Amino acid sequence: MSDVEQQIKSVQAAVGNSDPWVTGTIQVPPDTLDLYYLDKSSLPQPQLLKLTPAAAVDDLNKLSMSCDRATFGRAKEELLDESYRKAGKMDVERFSSKLDSNVIRLLPGILFHLLKGEDLDRKVDAELYKLNVYDTGCFFRVHKDTPRGERMFGSLVIVFPTPHTGGQLVLRHDDKEHNFDSGTVLSNSPSPNDTIAYIAFFSDVEHEVLPVTSGHRITLTYNLYFSKSTAQVPDSLLVPKTNFKLRDTISALLDNPQFLPKGGLLGFALSHSYAVKSRGSLNGILQVLKGEDAVIRSACEGLGLDLAIQSVMGNQVLLDYAIDLSSYGEIEGSLVALVLNEGHGTLIHPYNDEPDWEYGNEGDCSKALAWIKGLSESRAGYESPYIAYGNQANLGFEYIHLTLVVAFGPVGDRKNWSAYKGEELL
Ligand SMILES: O=C(O)CCC(=O)C(=O)O
Ligand SMILES: [Fe+2]
């Protein structure tokens, strides 16, 4: 193996692989478990229910009866189908939870292990979405939470300590899986009367709620956003914000004069998928990277390199916008030619190979790219043209797989990324 190959392997090994979810329990002031809600009588009456392990089964059933049947989204449709999702839901206008006014105080403790790098210092908004009641036999099959905009990065579920068995939340991402059994975790907690369980995860993580086998699993769900406000959050002390190993291995690779002496690109296929509008620009995504993706951004920014988020088509072309495949139909090859003929996209070729001019036009350039994390088979190109199953109908944003492309200049001037134009087709 050459020096360069060895150094690329070292960069690859330094890319982190932390979980895209956190789960746990938190003790809360007991009165924050109070829930006020409007029942379903013809003149709705306010009710107070303490969502504790001691809550009377009749009262929990009454809450359950006051809920509507929960729907879910398939593509652009909102559906009620109890073979896919069986649960009660209450919209935010019909209830008030004391915990909700406290949730902002709980967030830093919860998100500490989820957010990485500079994201740890960002202000996060938590938007209450629904109260859900899963009583015996309720479940929610595999889905992803519907993206509500570029800045939404995750979902938070709070589970009250009302007794329940079953109803585990199973989360899956790449080859990882996590099963969170809130009923068991809560009943085994040291202070079960005033402890809640939480699960926070990046919204593109696939998840399902297994059937509840007894009792009532009652939850609040939140959408998590990176705040637009620039209010400074105090620096979290003693938290390493940079993956120094990653920064140093990239630096060593670029210091090697054998590696792309005229300059070139590094490609990191992102671990998460991101919500974009079709044909929408990808510029804003750089600011909303999640988890390990944000760590890669920090390391490369720290080296003064140029960063861009691109979509990769057929491993041959980089695009700085999301293309709407449904408006083209047909096969990928012809799409590459079409996009290039329209004057979009940058041709790329592997760093250790010659450009492939199959689709090139006179005057085109092809840039050499070394994949640090390549697009795996299942991730090549785009996710399905629409979200098959969401917790709400498609709101115009779709999750797609993207690549962080890092540009660097010639040996001795690696920060001068704009000096690298690529190989030209004459
Ligand atoms: O209750 C849970 O743990 C998850 C619920 C869920 O996935 C949803 O409401 O979208
Ligand atoms: Fe969900």
Side-chain angles (χ1 to χ4, degrees), residues 10-11 13-16 117-118 238-253 292 294-296 298-300 302-303:
S10 304
V11 181
V15 173
E118 290 138 15
L238 301 173
V239 182
K241 305 251 178 54
T242 303
N243 175 338
F244 292 106
K245 188 149 178 248
L246 181 59
R247 197 196 60 187
D248 295 348
T249 51
I250 296 172
S251 177
L253 174 64
E292 293 297 347
V295 176
I296 300 171
S298 301
C300 296
L303 290 168

Side-chain angles (χ1 to χ4, degrees), residues 41 46 77 101 132 143 208 255 279 292 310 315 321 329 350:
S41 41
E77 269 181 298
S101 36
N132 286 114
H143 68 282
E208 68 180 307
D255 282 347
R279 264 196 115 80
E292 293 297 347
Q310 309 261 296
N315 248 321
Y321 62 92

Side-chain angles (χ1 to χ4, degrees), residues 191-329:
S191 180
N193 294 325
D194 55 358
T195 295
I196 51 134
Y198 64 82
I199 309 116
F201 52 94
F202 292 125
S203 6
D204 60 307
V205 167
E206 210 175 70
H207 55 282
E208 68 180 307
V209 182
L210 301 183
V212 170
T213 47
S214 74
H216 296 78
R217 180 180 184 273
I218 301 176
T219 62
L220 294 178
T221 56
Y222 287 86
N223 300 321
L224 301 173
Y225 297 83
F226 287 125
S227 173
K228 278 214 177 90
S229 110
T230 48
Q232 263 293 287
V233 177
D235 256 18
S236 19
L237 293 170
L238 301 173
V239 182
K241 305 251 178 54
T242 303
N243 175 338
F244 292 106
K245 188 149 178 248
L246 181 59
R247 197 196 60 187
D248 295 348
T249 51
I250 296 172
S251 177
L253 174 64
L254 297 182
D255 282 347
N256 185 340
Q258 311 290 320
F259 179 58
L260 293 175
K262 291 189 283 183
L265 308 173
L266 299 176
F268 296 86
L270 297 176
S271 156
H272 292 284
S273 39
Y274 290 86
V276 294
K277 274 214 166 23
S278 182
R279 264 196 115 80
S281 149
L282 302 175
N283 286 341
I285 305 286
L286 196 56
Q287 268 65 57
V288 293
L289 293 183
K290 301 178 274 204
E292 293 297 347
D293 295 340
V295 176
I296 300 171
R297 175 190 62 206
S298 301
C300 296
E301 272 176 354
L303 290 168
L305 306 175
D306 180 62
L307 273 60
I309 300 293
Q310 309 261 296
S311 67
V312 180
M313 203 188 263
N315 248 321
Q316 288 165 305
V317 174
L318 300 177
L319 284 177
D320 59 3
Y321 62 92
I323 195 163
D324 181 359
L325 290 184
S326 59
S327 69
Y328 288 91

Side-chain angles (χ1 to χ4, degrees), residues 30-36 48-51 96-99:
D31 69 329
T32 57
L33 300 176
D34 289 0
L35 177 80
Y36 294 89
L48 165 63
L49 177 54
K50 292 181 183 299
L51 294 173
S96 163
S97 154
K98 275 204 193 162
L99 194 65

